Amino acid sequence: MADNRPIGIFDSGLGGLTVVKELIKQLPNEQILYFGDTKRVPYGTKSRETISLFAHQDAAFLLSMDVKMIVAACGTVSSVVEDLPQVLPVPYMGVVENAARAAVAATRNGRIGVLGTEATIASGAHKRAILSILPSATVFTRACSLFVPLVEAGWYRPEDPGVMRIARTYLDDLCKEGLDTLILGCTHYPLLSQVIEGIMGRQVTLINMGTSTAAAVAKRLKVTDSLCDGTKPGKQSLFVSDLTDSFCRTASVLLGQDAQSISVKQVEIDRL
């Protein structure tokens, strides 16, 4: 039976729009409801307890909008908040497992890198997921604390001030490790793909968690017969906890829409 309710997606900020972008490609008829916690970004430098609190509040907001599925389009939440699948009344999906499977499928030499926030890297979630699929793999990790603030500020192009210098600080050592696959372990990071590829080289395959997660969402909805009936064109409803100009600008770039035409509503998430 078709299910016309929206897919709910949340992230610490605007990075989860990279997942929305891929979902639009793969499921163009689906309704999507997105929440970006721009008031409290970044999550990756906060304690596990705080990250868990924020994630549960974000999910509660989406549930109040009658979504049929919740996607944590946040590498930090997917890495450190373990109880969401058990407590939510709708299907839930994170981004870590999907990225790990994509990386294992892509690697040729078994040397895989992971970039993420401090909390994501400290959790070891990506490394565990990769080794559970490919025990012989060698996994290199790097916490990139400044990447999320850069993207949230709209600085993610090679020509933007200081971006290449900051990226080299994180990536130069990884260039010496002979890895052939690199997971962008935060959904903000695909916006930095040009920067990262320019340093790592084109021989390194970059794994976009948005692409792998969108494919997994599509598969789950098809298997459970929960796709919409396709009688209405797909629509994206965007909500944030703090309405910023950079969010609207980046949303317009990712979604291919004029910034003036994008409707974004502000939500007092910490009062829910």
Side-chain angles (χ1 to χ4, degrees), residues 56-121:
H56 281 265
Q57 288 176 334
D58 299 346
F61 167 68
L62 294 177
L63 289 174
S64 75
M65 304 294 284
D66 192 29
V67 297
K68 63 184 175 183
M69 180 180 193
I70 289 180
V71 180
C74 176
T76 299
V77 170
S78 300
S79 299
V80 307
V81 183
E82 300 177 350
D83 65 338
L84 280 176
Q86 288 76 46
V87 301
L88 293 178
V90 298
Y92 165 84
M93 184 172 294
V95 292
V96 171
E97 296 291 337
N98 303 313
R101 283 192 286 270
V104 168
T107 188
R108 302 174 301 282
N109 66 6
R111 299 176 72 81
I112 300 171
V114 182
L115 306 181
T117 66
E118 289 180 20
T120 293
I121 297 305

Short mmCIF file of all heavy atoms in Angstrom, two decimals, residues 56-121:
data_model
loop_
_atom_site.label_atom_id
_atom_site.label_comp_id
_atom_site.label_asym_id
_atom_site.label_seq_id
_atom_site.Cartn_x
_atom_site.Cartn_y
_atom_site.Cartn_z
N HIS A 56 17.00 13.47 19.96
CA HIS A 56 15.64 13.09 20.34
C HIS A 56 14.67 14.24 20.14
O HIS A 56 13.52 14.02 19.74
CB HIS A 56 15.63 12.60 21.80
CG HIS A 56 16.13 11.21 21.96
ND1 HIS A 56 15.29 10.11 22.00
CD2 HIS A 56 17.39 10.71 22.07
CE1 HIS A 56 15.99 9.01 22.14
NE2 HIS A 56 17.28 9.34 22.19
N GLN A 57 15.10 15.46 20.39
CA GLN A 57 14.23 16.62 20.15
C GLN A 57 13.97 16.78 18.65
O GLN A 57 12.84 17.07 18.23
CB GLN A 57 14.87 17.88 20.72
CG GLN A 57 14.86 17.95 22.24
CD GLN A 57 15.59 19.17 22.77
OE1 GLN A 57 16.50 19.71 22.12
NE2 GLN A 57 15.21 19.61 23.96
N ASP A 58 15.00 16.60 17.84
CA ASP A 58 14.85 16.72 16.39
C ASP A 58 13.87 15.67 15.87
O ASP A 58 12.99 15.97 15.05
CB ASP A 58 16.21 16.54 15.70
CG ASP A 58 17.23 17.60 16.11
OD1 ASP A 58 16.83 18.61 16.72
OD2 ASP A 58 18.43 17.39 15.84
N ALA A 59 14.03 14.43 16.35
CA ALA A 59 13.15 13.36 15.91
C ALA A 59 11.71 13.61 16.36
O ALA A 59 10.76 13.33 15.62
CB ALA A 59 13.65 12.02 16.45
N ALA A 60 11.54 14.15 17.58
CA ALA A 60 10.20 14.44 18.09
C ALA A 60 9.50 15.47 17.21
O ALA A 60 8.29 15.37 16.96
CB ALA A 60 10.28 14.92 19.53
N PHE A 61 10.25 16.47 16.76
CA PHE A 61 9.65 17.46 15.86
C PHE A 61 9.17 16.81 14.57
O PHE A 61 8.05 17.06 14.11
CB PHE A 61 10.65 18.57 15.54
CG PHE A 61 10.20 19.44 14.40
CD1 PHE A 61 9.11 20.29 14.54
CD2 PHE A 61 10.86 19.40 13.18
CE1 PHE A 61 8.67 21.07 13.49
CE2 PHE A 61 10.43 20.19 12.12
CZ PHE A 61 9.33 21.02 12.28
N LEU A 62 10.00 15.96 13.99
CA LEU A 62 9.61 15.30 12.75
C LEU A 62 8.38 14.42 12.97
O LEU A 62 7.47 14.39 12.13
CB LEU A 62 10.77 14.48 12.20
CG LEU A 62 12.00 15.27 11.73
CD1 LEU A 62 13.09 14.31 11.28
CD2 LEU A 62 11.64 16.23 10.61
N LEU A 63 8.33 13.71 14.09
CA LEU A 63 7.18 12.87 14.38
C LEU A 63 5.90 13.71 14.51
O LEU A 63 4.82 13.25 14.13
CB LEU A 63 7.41 12.07 15.67
CG LEU A 63 8.43 10.94 15.59
CD1 LEU A 63 8.66 10.35 16.98
CD2 LEU A 63 7.96 9.84 14.63
N SER A 64 6.03 14.92 15.04
CA SER A 64 4.86 15.78 15.18
C SER A 64 4.31 16.20 13.83
O SER A 64 3.16 16.66 13.73
CB SER A 64 5.22 17.03 16.00
OG SER A 64 5.98 17.95 15.24
N MET A 65 5.10 16.04 12.77
CA MET A 65 4.68 16.38 11.42
C MET A 65 4.20 15.15 10.64
O MET A 65 4.02 15.21 9.43
CB MET A 65 5.84 17.05 10.67
CG MET A 65 6.40 18.28 11.37
SD MET A 65 5.23 19.64 11.47
CE MET A 65 5.31 20.25 9.80
N ASP A 66 4.03 14.02 11.36
CA ASP A 66 3.47 12.79 10.79
C ASP A 66 4.31 12.25 9.62
O ASP A 66 3.79 12.00 8.52
CB ASP A 66 2.03 13.00 10.34
CG ASP A 66 1.31 11.69 10.02
OD1 ASP A 66 1.67 10.66 10.63
OD2 ASP A 66 0.40 11.69 9.16
N VAL A 67 5.60 12.05 9.87
CA VAL A 67 6.46 11.47 8.85
C VAL A 67 6.36 9.94 8.88
O VAL A 67 5.97 9.35 9.88
CB VAL A 67 7.93 11.90 9.04
CG1 VAL A 67 8.07 13.40 8.88
CG2 VAL A 67 8.46 11.46 10.41
N LYS A 68 6.70 9.30 7.78
CA LYS A 68 6.62 7.83 7.69
C LYS A 68 7.96 7.17 7.98
O LYS A 68 8.03 5.95 8.17
CB LYS A 68 6.12 7.41 6.32
CG LYS A 68 7.04 7.79 5.15
CD LYS A 68 6.39 7.39 3.83
CE LYS A 68 7.21 7.85 2.62
NZ LYS A 68 6.53 7.52 1.35
N MET A 69 9.02 7.98 8.01
CA MET A 69 10.36 7.44 8.23
C MET A 69 11.24 8.59 8.69
O MET A 69 11.01 9.75 8.30
CB MET A 69 10.91 6.85 6.93
CG MET A 69 12.30 6.27 7.01
SD MET A 69 12.81 5.62 5.39
CE MET A 69 14.25 4.68 5.86
N ILE A 70 12.23 8.31 9.53
CA ILE A 70 13.16 9.34 9.98
C ILE A 70 14.58 8.95 9.58
O ILE A 70 15.02 7.83 9.83
CB ILE A 70 13.08 9.55 11.50
CG1 ILE A 70 11.74 10.25 11.84
CG2 ILE A 70 14.25 10.38 12.01
CD1 ILE A 70 11.55 10.51 13.32
N VAL A 71 15.28 9.89 8.96
CA VAL A 71 16.66 9.70 8.56
C VAL A 71 17.52 10.68 9.34
O VAL A 71 17.30 11.90 9.26
CB VAL A 71 16.85 9.93 7.05
CG1 VAL A 71 18.32 9.73 6.67
CG2 VAL A 71 15.95 9.01 6.24
N ALA A 72 18.47 10.17 10.11
CA ALA A 72 19.44 11.03 10.79
C ALA A 72 20.55 11.31 9.80
O ALA A 72 21.50 10.54 9.67
CB ALA A 72 19.98 10.36 12.04
N ALA A 73 20.42 12.42 9.07
CA ALA A 73 21.42 12.78 8.05
C ALA A 73 22.57 13.50 8.71
O ALA A 73 23.01 14.56 8.27
CB ALA A 73 20.76 13.65 6.99
N CYS A 74 23.06 12.92 9.77
CA CYS A 74 24.11 13.53 10.59
C CYS A 74 25.07 12.43 11.02
O CYS A 74 24.66 11.47 11.69
CB CYS A 74 23.49 14.19 11.82
SG CYS A 74 24.67 14.89 12.99
N GLY A 75 26.31 12.54 10.59
CA GLY A 75 27.27 11.51 10.94
C GLY A 75 27.49 11.40 12.43
O GLY A 75 27.69 10.30 12.96
N THR A 76 27.43 12.53 13.13
CA THR A 76 27.64 12.50 14.58
C THR A 76 26.52 11.75 15.28
O THR A 76 26.77 10.86 16.10
CB THR A 76 27.74 13.94 15.13
OG1 THR A 76 28.85 14.60 14.52
CG2 THR A 76 27.91 13.94 16.63
N VAL A 77 25.27 12.09 14.98
CA VAL A 77 24.14 11.40 15.59
C VAL A 77 24.16 9.92 15.25
O VAL A 77 23.97 9.05 16.12
CB VAL A 77 22.80 12.03 15.15
CG1 VAL A 77 21.61 11.16 15.57
CG2 VAL A 77 22.65 13.43 15.73
N SER A 78 24.40 9.60 13.99
CA SER A 78 24.42 8.20 13.56
C SER A 78 25.51 7.41 14.26
O SER A 78 25.39 6.20 14.45
CB SER A 78 24.62 8.12 12.04
OG SER A 78 23.57 8.78 11.36
N SER A 79 26.59 8.10 14.66
CA SER A 79 27.72 7.42 15.29
C SER A 79 27.54 7.22 16.79
O SER A 79 28.00 6.21 17.33
CB SER A 79 29.01 8.23 15.05
OG SER A 79 29.30 8.34 13.69
N VAL A 80 26.90 8.16 17.47
CA VAL A 80 26.91 8.10 18.94
C VAL A 80 25.55 7.90 19.59
O VAL A 80 25.49 7.54 20.77
CB VAL A 80 27.57 9.37 19.54
CG1 VAL A 80 28.93 9.61 18.94
CG2 VAL A 80 26.70 10.60 19.35
N VAL A 81 24.45 8.11 18.89
CA VAL A 81 23.12 7.93 19.49
C VAL A 81 22.57 6.58 19.05
O VAL A 81 22.17 6.41 17.90
CB VAL A 81 22.16 9.07 19.08
CG1 VAL A 81 20.80 8.89 19.77
CG2 VAL A 81 22.75 10.43 19.45
N GLU A 82 22.55 5.63 19.96
CA GLU A 82 22.26 4.25 19.59
C GLU A 82 20.82 3.82 19.82
O GLU A 82 20.39 2.78 19.31
CB GLU A 82 23.19 3.31 20.36
CG GLU A 82 24.68 3.56 20.07
CD GLU A 82 25.59 2.68 20.89
OE1 GLU A 82 25.08 2.01 21.82
OE2 GLU A 82 26.81 2.65 20.61
N ASP A 83 20.04 4.60 20.59
CA ASP A 83 18.73 4.11 20.98
C ASP A 83 17.58 4.56 20.08
O ASP A 83 16.45 4.10 20.25
CB ASP A 83 18.41 4.52 22.43
CG ASP A 83 18.30 6.03 22.60
OD1 ASP A 83 18.85 6.77 21.75
OD2 ASP A 83 17.65 6.48 23.57
N LEU A 84 17.83 5.43 19.12
CA LEU A 84 16.74 5.92 18.28
C LEU A 84 15.98 4.82 17.55
O LEU A 84 14.75 4.86 17.50
CB LEU A 84 17.26 6.96 17.28
CG LEU A 84 17.47 8.38 17.83
CD1 LEU A 84 18.09 9.28 16.77
CD2 LEU A 84 16.17 8.98 18.33
N PRO A 85 16.66 3.81 16.99
CA PRO A 85 15.89 2.77 16.30
C PRO A 85 14.91 2.05 17.21
O PRO A 85 13.86 1.57 16.76
CB PRO A 85 16.98 1.80 15.81
CG PRO A 85 18.21 2.62 15.75
CD PRO A 85 18.11 3.60 16.87
N GLN A 86 15.23 1.95 18.50
CA GLN A 86 14.37 1.22 19.43
C GLN A 86 13.19 2.06 19.93
O GLN A 86 12.14 1.52 20.26
CB GLN A 86 15.18 0.75 20.65
CG GLN A 86 16.15 -0.39 20.37
CD GLN A 86 17.40 0.05 19.64
OE1 GLN A 86 18.01 1.05 20.01
NE2 GLN A 86 17.78 -0.68 18.61
N VAL A 87 13.35 3.39 20.01
CA VAL A 87 12.32 4.21 20.63
C VAL A 87 11.39 4.88 19.62
O VAL A 87 10.30 5.34 20.00
CB VAL A 87 12.94 5.30 21.54
CG1 VAL A 87 13.77 4.65 22.63
CG2 VAL A 87 13.77 6.30 20.74
N LEU A 88 11.76 4.92 18.36
CA LEU A 88 10.91 5.60 17.39
C LEU A 88 9.80 4.68 16.88
O LEU A 88 10.03 3.49 16.65
CB LEU A 88 11.74 6.09 16.20
CG LEU A 88 12.75 7.20 16.49
CD1 LEU A 88 13.53 7.55 15.23
CD2 LEU A 88 12.05 8.43 17.04
N PRO A 89 8.60 5.23 16.66
CA PRO A 89 7.47 4.42 16.18
C PRO A 89 7.45 4.26 14.66
O PRO A 89 6.53 3.65 14.11
CB PRO A 89 6.25 5.21 16.67
CG PRO A 89 6.71 6.64 16.65
CD PRO A 89 8.17 6.60 17.04
N VAL A 90 8.42 4.84 13.98
CA VAL A 90 8.53 4.72 12.52
C VAL A 90 9.92 4.21 12.18
O VAL A 90 10.84 4.29 13.00
CB VAL A 90 8.28 6.08 11.82
CG1 VAL A 90 6.87 6.58 12.09
CG2 VAL A 90 9.32 7.12 12.25
N PRO A 91 10.12 3.68 10.98
CA PRO A 91 11.46 3.22 10.59
C PRO A 91 12.50 4.33 10.68
O PRO A 91 12.20 5.50 10.40
CB PRO A 91 11.27 2.76 9.14
CG PRO A 91 9.82 2.41 9.05
CD PRO A 91 9.11 3.38 9.94
N TYR A 92 13.71 3.96 11.07
CA TYR A 92 14.79 4.93 11.26
C TYR A 92 16.02 4.46 10.47
O TYR A 92 16.28 3.26 10.35
CB TYR A 92 15.15 5.01 12.75
CG TYR A 92 16.47 5.69 13.04
CD1 TYR A 92 16.56 7.07 13.11
CD2 TYR A 92 17.64 4.94 13.24
CE1 TYR A 92 17.78 7.70 13.38
CE2 TYR A 92 18.85 5.56 13.51
CZ TYR A 92 18.92 6.94 13.59
OH TYR A 92 20.12 7.55 13.84
N MET A 93 16.75 5.43 9.95
CA MET A 93 17.99 5.10 9.26
C MET A 93 19.06 6.16 9.55
O MET A 93 18.78 7.36 9.52
CB MET A 93 17.76 5.02 7.75
CG MET A 93 18.99 4.59 6.97
SD MET A 93 18.62 4.28 5.23
CE MET A 93 17.55 2.84 5.35
N GLY A 94 20.27 5.70 9.85
CA GLY A 94 21.41 6.59 9.99
C GLY A 94 22.23 6.56 8.71
O GLY A 94 21.78 6.05 7.68
N VAL A 95 23.45 7.06 8.78
CA VAL A 95 24.27 7.16 7.58
C VAL A 95 25.56 6.34 7.63
O VAL A 95 26.21 6.14 6.60
CB VAL A 95 24.63 8.65 7.29
CG1 VAL A 95 23.40 9.44 6.90
CG2 VAL A 95 25.33 9.30 8.48
N VAL A 96 25.92 5.83 8.80
CA VAL A 96 27.22 5.18 8.96
C VAL A 96 27.31 3.85 8.20
O VAL A 96 28.25 3.61 7.43
CB VAL A 96 27.55 4.97 10.45
CG1 VAL A 96 28.80 4.10 10.60
CG2 VAL A 96 27.76 6.31 11.14
N GLU A 97 26.36 2.96 8.44
CA GLU A 97 26.41 1.62 7.83
C GLU A 97 26.40 1.71 6.31
O GLU A 97 27.12 0.96 5.63
CB GLU A 97 25.24 0.78 8.32
CG GLU A 97 25.26 0.48 9.81
CD GLU A 97 26.39 -0.45 10.21
OE1 GLU A 97 26.87 -1.20 9.33
OE2 GLU A 97 26.79 -0.42 11.39
N ASN A 98 25.58 2.61 5.77
CA ASN A 98 25.49 2.74 4.31
C ASN A 98 26.82 3.21 3.73
O ASN A 98 27.25 2.73 2.68
CB ASN A 98 24.39 3.73 3.95
CG ASN A 98 23.04 3.33 4.51
OD1 ASN A 98 22.64 2.18 4.40
ND2 ASN A 98 22.34 4.26 5.12
N ALA A 99 27.46 4.15 4.41
CA ALA A 99 28.75 4.65 3.94
C ALA A 99 29.82 3.57 4.00
O ALA A 99 30.65 3.45 3.09
CB ALA A 99 29.17 5.87 4.77
N ALA A 100 29.80 2.78 5.06
CA ALA A 100 30.78 1.70 5.21
C ALA A 100 30.64 0.68 4.08
O ALA A 100 31.64 0.25 3.48
CB ALA A 100 30.62 1.02 6.56
N ARG A 101 29.41 0.31 3.77
CA ARG A 101 29.19 -0.65 2.67
C ARG A 101 29.67 -0.09 1.34
O ARG A 101 30.28 -0.80 0.53
CB ARG A 101 27.72 -1.04 2.60
CG ARG A 101 27.29 -2.04 3.67
CD ARG A 101 25.91 -2.60 3.38
NE ARG A 101 24.88 -1.61 3.65
CZ ARG A 101 24.26 -1.46 4.81
NH1 ARG A 101 24.59 -2.23 5.82
NH2 ARG A 101 23.33 -0.54 4.96
N ALA A 102 29.39 1.20 1.10
CA ALA A 102 29.82 1.82 -0.15
C ALA A 102 31.34 1.88 -0.24
O ALA A 102 31.92 1.66 -1.31
CB ALA A 102 29.23 3.23 -0.26
N ALA A 103 32.00 2.16 0.88
CA ALA A 103 33.46 2.24 0.88
C ALA A 103 34.09 0.88 0.61
O ALA A 103 35.06 0.77 -0.15
CB ALA A 103 33.94 2.80 2.22
N VAL A 104 33.57 -0.15 1.23
CA VAL A 104 34.10 -1.50 1.03
C VAL A 104 33.90 -1.93 -0.42
O VAL A 104 34.77 -2.57 -1.02
CB VAL A 104 33.42 -2.48 2.00
CG1 VAL A 104 33.74 -3.93 1.62
CG2 VAL A 104 33.88 -2.20 3.43
N ALA A 105 32.78 -1.56 -1.00
CA ALA A 105 32.52 -1.91 -2.40
C ALA A 105 33.47 -1.16 -3.34
O ALA A 105 33.82 -1.67 -4.41
CB ALA A 105 31.07 -1.59 -2.77
N ALA A 106 33.89 0.04 -2.93
CA ALA A 106 34.71 0.87 -3.82
C ALA A 106 36.20 0.59 -3.71
O ALA A 106 36.94 0.76 -4.68
CB ALA A 106 34.46 2.35 -3.51
N THR A 107 36.69 0.16 -2.54
CA THR A 107 38.13 0.05 -2.34
C THR A 107 38.75 -1.07 -3.17
O THR A 107 38.15 -2.13 -3.38
CB THR A 107 38.46 -0.16 -0.85
OG1 THR A 107 39.88 -0.09 -0.68
CG2 THR A 107 37.96 -1.51 -0.34
N ARG A 108 39.95 -0.82 -3.61
CA ARG A 108 40.70 -1.82 -4.37
C ARG A 108 41.86 -2.38 -3.55
O ARG A 108 42.29 -3.50 -3.76
CB ARG A 108 41.25 -1.20 -5.66
CG ARG A 108 40.17 -0.61 -6.56
CD ARG A 108 40.74 0.13 -7.77
NE ARG A 108 41.62 1.23 -7.37
CZ ARG A 108 41.20 2.42 -6.94
NH1 ARG A 108 39.90 2.66 -6.83
NH2 ARG A 108 42.06 3.37 -6.62
N ASN A 109 42.37 -1.58 -2.61
CA ASN A 109 43.51 -2.03 -1.82
C ASN A 109 43.21 -2.19 -0.34
O ASN A 109 44.10 -2.52 0.45
CB ASN A 109 44.70 -1.09 -2.03
CG ASN A 109 44.45 0.31 -1.46
OD1 ASN A 109 43.44 0.57 -0.83
ND2 ASN A 109 45.40 1.23 -1.70
N GLY A 110 41.96 -1.94 0.06
CA GLY A 110 41.57 -2.14 1.45
C GLY A 110 42.04 -1.07 2.40
O GLY A 110 41.89 -1.20 3.62
N ARG A 111 42.58 0.03 1.86
CA ARG A 111 43.04 1.12 2.70
C ARG A 111 42.02 2.27 2.59
O ARG A 111 41.94 2.94 1.56
CB ARG A 111 44.45 1.58 2.29
CG ARG A 111 45.48 0.45 2.43
CD ARG A 111 46.85 0.84 1.94
NE ARG A 111 47.53 1.79 2.81
CZ ARG A 111 48.17 1.46 3.92
NH1 ARG A 111 48.22 0.19 4.32
NH2 ARG A 111 48.78 2.38 4.65
N ILE A 112 41.25 2.44 3.67
CA ILE A 112 40.09 3.32 3.65
C ILE A 112 40.24 4.41 4.70
O ILE A 112 40.60 4.14 5.85
CB ILE A 112 38.79 2.52 3.92
CG1 ILE A 112 38.60 1.44 2.85
CG2 ILE A 112 37.57 3.45 3.98
CD1 ILE A 112 37.47 0.46 3.18
N GLY A 113 39.97 5.65 4.31
CA GLY A 113 40.02 6.77 5.24
C GLY A 113 38.63 7.22 5.64
O GLY A 113 37.66 7.01 4.90
N VAL A 114 38.53 7.84 6.80
CA VAL A 114 37.27 8.40 7.29
C VAL A 114 37.52 9.79 7.84
O VAL A 114 38.38 9.98 8.71
CB VAL A 114 36.65 7.54 8.42
CG1 VAL A 114 35.31 8.13 8.86
CG2 VAL A 114 36.48 6.09 7.98
N LEU A 115 36.80 10.77 7.32
CA LEU A 115 36.81 12.12 7.87
C LEU A 115 35.52 12.32 8.66
O LEU A 115 34.46 11.88 8.23
CB LEU A 115 36.89 13.17 6.76
CG LEU A 115 38.02 13.06 5.74
CD1 LEU A 115 37.94 14.21 4.74
CD2 LEU A 115 39.38 13.04 6.43
N GLY A 116 35.60 13.00 9.79
CA GLY A 116 34.39 13.22 10.57
C GLY A 116 34.60 14.27 11.64
O GLY A 116 35.69 14.82 11.80
N THR A 117 33.54 14.52 12.40
CA THR A 117 33.64 15.43 13.53
C THR A 117 34.39 14.73 14.67
O THR A 117 34.63 13.51 14.62
CB THR A 117 32.24 15.84 14.03
OG1 THR A 117 31.58 14.67 14.56
CG2 THR A 117 31.40 16.44 12.91
N GLU A 118 34.71 15.47 15.70
CA GLU A 118 35.42 14.89 16.84
C GLU A 118 34.63 13.74 17.44
O GLU A 118 35.18 12.67 17.75
CB GLU A 118 35.69 15.96 17.90
CG GLU A 118 36.74 16.99 17.51
CD GLU A 118 36.95 18.01 18.62
OE1 GLU A 118 36.60 17.73 19.78
OE2 GLU A 118 37.50 19.08 18.32
N ALA A 119 33.33 13.96 17.65
CA ALA A 119 32.50 12.92 18.27
C ALA A 119 32.39 11.69 17.38
O ALA A 119 32.41 10.55 17.86
CB ALA A 119 31.12 13.48 18.60
N THR A 120 32.26 11.91 16.08
CA THR A 120 32.14 10.79 15.15
C THR A 120 33.40 9.94 15.16
O THR A 120 33.34 8.70 15.26
CB THR A 120 31.87 11.31 13.72
OG1 THR A 120 30.58 11.91 13.67
CG2 THR A 120 31.94 10.18 12.70
N ILE A 121 34.55 10.56 15.05
CA ILE A 121 35.81 9.82 15.02
C ILE A 121 36.07 9.12 16.36
O ILE A 121 36.50 7.97 16.41
CB ILE A 121 36.98 10.75 14.64
CG1 ILE A 121 36.77 11.32 13.22
CG2 ILE A 121 38.30 10.00 14.72
CD1 ILE A 121 36.58 10.29 12.13
#
